[in-house]
């Protein structure tokens, strides 16, 4: 091969290499950027006076004087709205019966839209659910609700050959000729004064419990649950995995049983996580009865079984990678096998073992399927350390799934869902990062 | 020849040892004791006989060199003495190999205790990825010395014996892997000496070193001669003739000739030995 072709080959390899790295980076950006931008919105957003009211009455947070002056100022603008409503209600009574019936249903819609925007209106009975006690707490949501208030959504299915299309009809037009027609421009122009949006940093999203199934408040119970489950799984799986790896590499005699055990271990690493979930339910809860029903301990054990093969394999590889010369040196000094393993082999293999451990920890934190039947509940408060043996817990992975698919008002609280995703991704990234740092530090210490 | 005298002047040790030995084995020449003794000793890797029916006596406190072409079984024989070959599952032995008259491969031999008495330095320096201090203190700690002051004493003594104290005394807490190859090798010697073995096995200890470092190791062997039984494998004829009292020549697993170094290098009995030491084959 002459120099020319060799150079071309080298260059094209470099180009392909750089190209694939760029593709990977772009793919990562496409995944991570929306997670970050959406997730950040759970903490940093434009909050309304409703948000501050909610914080004050649900969490006793905020300064009461400032709040009451804010509320007073917003009520001044709202008073006009209430006035118009009572005016129209009086007008309704004077209408002809069929006209009255028509307007009454439309008026009910207007009222509902207003309630969504501003919270309970005068004359409403006190709502049962916390979510109805307040108007829109986030300004971008308020703008959406304003649209719902101004326009009635209708579906055009005149053409049976195509899908029905949504279109909007201005409510102001339907109330043409009544006193209520003035309400729409008024609300549109004065919404800002009624809701007083301002930039809000809500760290409570991380540290608060949720109120009314994630309508308000934060995700602390989920974060804590994830932490308990992942760390609990680690407490079982890590020592067990390292001991098993030491057995496989140092003590097991090569033979049929040993190779069977190893291939069983490899197979286990590839089993879908839902299978572990079912196993956890069947074995830990139904057979072993580690707890009455779902509990943190059952979930942690199930996750431990799931990550055990990975830990064993990582530890095995790390141990096998320790130079044979260390072992020889130690034994030749009159060390026992066990002592050699404990004082020379394991310390030298530690970076690899820890990396495997932390990656498994990240996996345990992120898995949903194994905890569905064993540990996770959709809504709950943060549990104490003493309760891990008896009570289930909310956890990030499961609650993300739950919010996305099963929550009755999923579309209302997308920001919570994204916030949870961001929290989970950050936790896993942080774990992996700490693995890298830890590994680098120990390796540096070992290399001198 | 002072070494011979000094070893001869350790009657107490000799007396205890002689009890284990049959009378005809007690003395080879000039009142020396046999420390290690092979009788029809063979070493196999699976079916392959790497060392063939070797019979030899290694004298106490002497330096014995092992020479021979590559692959002739020098390392295998050396590693058999402190049972390092136990790490190779296919390896097994026949015949007898005695240390102080006791069978090294005997059923009741404690190989851990044996290795404490028979230290080994390997071809490639292999310090632990720990500090210099911890490297040296590893053996003593293992054998129950935990007192910090006492450990420091042992570390200093061992490093001084291995002629490396001056180079490392101000950085005992630094990682041993930061030392040069020659320093690492002397550190390994010091580490072995810290356990206070009776026998020192050296497998080509200078093959990875430059001439200067090699000279230091050779000086070291001269220093230690008379206090330890030393066996050194080497490919370097000059080295063998410089440092050793007696020399063993192996060829394809067979111990061809075993004689005093002076005799083996000036007046070999076997033509194969002659060919080898004159460099006619390698
Ligand atoms: N672990 C092993 N398994 C099987 N055969 C081995 C093993 N180690 C060494 N041998 C074989 O045993 C014979 C002797 O090897 P040994 O390492 O003792 O030679 P040596 O004299 O030390 O050579 P060198 O001078 O190259 O170090 C060689 O033929 C070698 O191939
Ligand atoms: Mg060799």
């Amino acid at each position: 091969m002459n120099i020319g072709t060799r150079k071309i080959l080298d260059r094209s390899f470099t180009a392909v290499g750089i190209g694939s790295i760029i593709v990977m980076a772009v793919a990562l950006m496409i995944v991570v950027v929306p997670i970050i931008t959406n997730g950040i919105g759970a903490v940093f957003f434009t909050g309304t006076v409703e948000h501050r009211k909610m914080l004050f009455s649900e969490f006793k947070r905020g300064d009461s004087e400032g709040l009451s002056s804010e509320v007073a100022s917003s009520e001044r603008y709202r008073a006009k709205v209430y006035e118009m409503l009572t005016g129209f209600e009086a007008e309704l009574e004077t209408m002809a019966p069929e006209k009255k019936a028509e307007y009454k249903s439309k008026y009910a819609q207007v009222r509902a839209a207003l309630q969504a925007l501003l919270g309970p209106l005068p004359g409403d009975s006190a709502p049962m659910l916390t979510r109805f006690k307040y108007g829109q707490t986030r300004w971008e949501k308020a703008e959406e609700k304003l649209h719902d208030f101004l326009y009635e959504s209708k579906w055009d299915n005149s053409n049976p050959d195509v899908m029905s299309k949504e279109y909007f009809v201005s409510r102001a037009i339907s109330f043409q000729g009544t006193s209520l027609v003035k309400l729409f421009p008024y609300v549109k122009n004065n919404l800002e004064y009624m809701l007083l949006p301002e930039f809000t940093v809500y760290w409570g999203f991380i540290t608060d419990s949720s109120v009314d199934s994630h309508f308000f408040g934060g995700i602390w119970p989920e974060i804590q649950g994830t932490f308990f489950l992942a760390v609990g799984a680690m407490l079982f799986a890590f020592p067990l995995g390292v001991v098993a790896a030491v057995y496989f590499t140092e003590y097991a005699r090569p033979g049929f049983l040993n190779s069977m055990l190893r291939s069983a271990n490899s197979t286990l690493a590839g089993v879908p996580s839902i299978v572990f979930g079912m196993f956890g339910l069947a074995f830990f809860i139904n057979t072993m009865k580690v707890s009455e029903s779902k509990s943190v301990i059952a979930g942690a054990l199930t996750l431990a079984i799931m990550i055990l093969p990975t830990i064993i394999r990582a530890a095995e590889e790390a141990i096998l990678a320790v130079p044979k010369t260390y072992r020889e040196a130690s034994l030749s000094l009159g060390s026992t096998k066990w002592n050699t393993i404990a004082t020379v082999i394991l310390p030298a293999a530690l970076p690899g073992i820890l990396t495997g451990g932390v990656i498994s920890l990240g996996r345990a934190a992120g898995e949903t399927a194994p905890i569905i039947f064993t540990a996770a509940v959709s809504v709950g408060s943060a549990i104490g350390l003493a309760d891990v043996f008896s009570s289930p817990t909310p956890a990030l992975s499961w609650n993300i799934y739950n919010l996305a698919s099963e929550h009755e008002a999923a579309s209302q609280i997308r920001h919570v869902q994204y916030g949870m995703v961001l929290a989970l991704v950050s936790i896993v990234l942080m774990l992996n990062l700490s693995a890298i740092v830890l590994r680098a530090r120990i390796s540096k210490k070992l290399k001198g | 020849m002072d070494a011979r005298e000094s070893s001869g002047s350790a009657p107490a040790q000799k007396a205890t040892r002689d009890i284990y030995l049959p009378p005809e084995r007690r003395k080879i020449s000039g009142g020396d004791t046999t420390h290690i003794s092979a009788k029809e000793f063979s070493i196999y890797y699976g079916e392959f006989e790497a060392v063939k029916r070797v019979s030899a006596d290694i004298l106490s406190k002497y330096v014995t060199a092992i020479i021979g072409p590559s692959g002739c079984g020098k390392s295998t024989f050396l590693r058999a003495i402190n049972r390092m070959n136990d790490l190779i599952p296919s390896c097994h032995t026949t015949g007898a190999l005695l240390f102080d008259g006791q069978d090294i491969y005997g059923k009741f031999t404690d190989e851990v205790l044996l290795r404490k008495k028979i230290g080994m330095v390997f071809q490639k320096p292999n310090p632990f990825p720990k500090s210099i201090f911890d490297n040296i203190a590893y053996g003593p700690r293992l054998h129950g010395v935990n007192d910090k002051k006492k450990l420091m004493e042992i570390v200093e003594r061992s490093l001084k014996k291995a002629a490396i104290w001056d180079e490392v005394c101000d950085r005992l807490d630094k990682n041993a892997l930061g030392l040069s190859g020659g320093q690492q090798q002397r550190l390994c010697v010091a580490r072995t000496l810290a356990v206070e073995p009776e026998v020192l096995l050296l497998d080509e200890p200078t093959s990875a070193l430059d001439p200067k470092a090699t000279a230091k190791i050779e000086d070291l062997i001269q220093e230690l001669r008379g206090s330890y039984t030393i066996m050194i494998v080497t490919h370097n004829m000059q080295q063998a003739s410089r440092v050793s009292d007696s020399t063993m020549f192996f060829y394809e697993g067979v111990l061809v000739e075993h004689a005093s170094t002076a005799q083996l290098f000036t007046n070999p009995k076997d033509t194969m030995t002659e060919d080898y030491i004159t460099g006619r084959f390698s």
Side-chain angles (χ1 to χ4, degrees), chain B residues 50-68:
Chain B
V51 170
K52 296 171 185 152
R53 302 167 72 86
V54 167
S55 293
D57 291 312
I58 312 294
L59 302 184
S60 184
K61 316 225 165 168
Y62 280 59
V63 179
T64 303
I66 304 178
I67 59 171

Side-chain angles (χ1 to χ4, degrees), chain A residues 144 147-149 151-159 162-169 171:
Chain A
E144 271 173 36
H147 187 269
D148 290 350
F149 169 72
Y151 301 95
E152 188 179 354
S153 141
K154 292 203 162 163
W155 292 88
D156 170 17
N157 35 24
S158 55
N159 183 352
V162 295
M163 278 224 283
S164 9
K165 260 168 76 182
E166 190 179 20
Y167 65 102
F168 297 99
V169 182
R171 289 191 210 270

Side-chain angles (χ1 to χ4, degrees), chain A residues 325-326 328-336 339-340 343-344 445-448, chain B residues 79 84 87 112 115 120 122 126-130 138 142-143 175 177 191 195:
Chain A
T325 56
Y326 292 171
E328 287 184 337
S330 173
L331 288 177
S332 77
L333 292 169
S335 174
T336 57
N339 215 315
T340 301
T343 58
V344 176
K445 215 177 122 203
L446 288 177
K447 291 208 182 77
Chain B
R79 289 164 58 93
M84 280 323 269
L87 293 182
V112 172
R115 292 191 189 118
M120 183 158 196
F122 299 82
N126 57 355
F128 297 123
K130 300 173 188 279
Y138 184 82
L142 216 60
H143 304 300
N175 196 302
L177 295 180
R191 184 178 63 187
V195 185

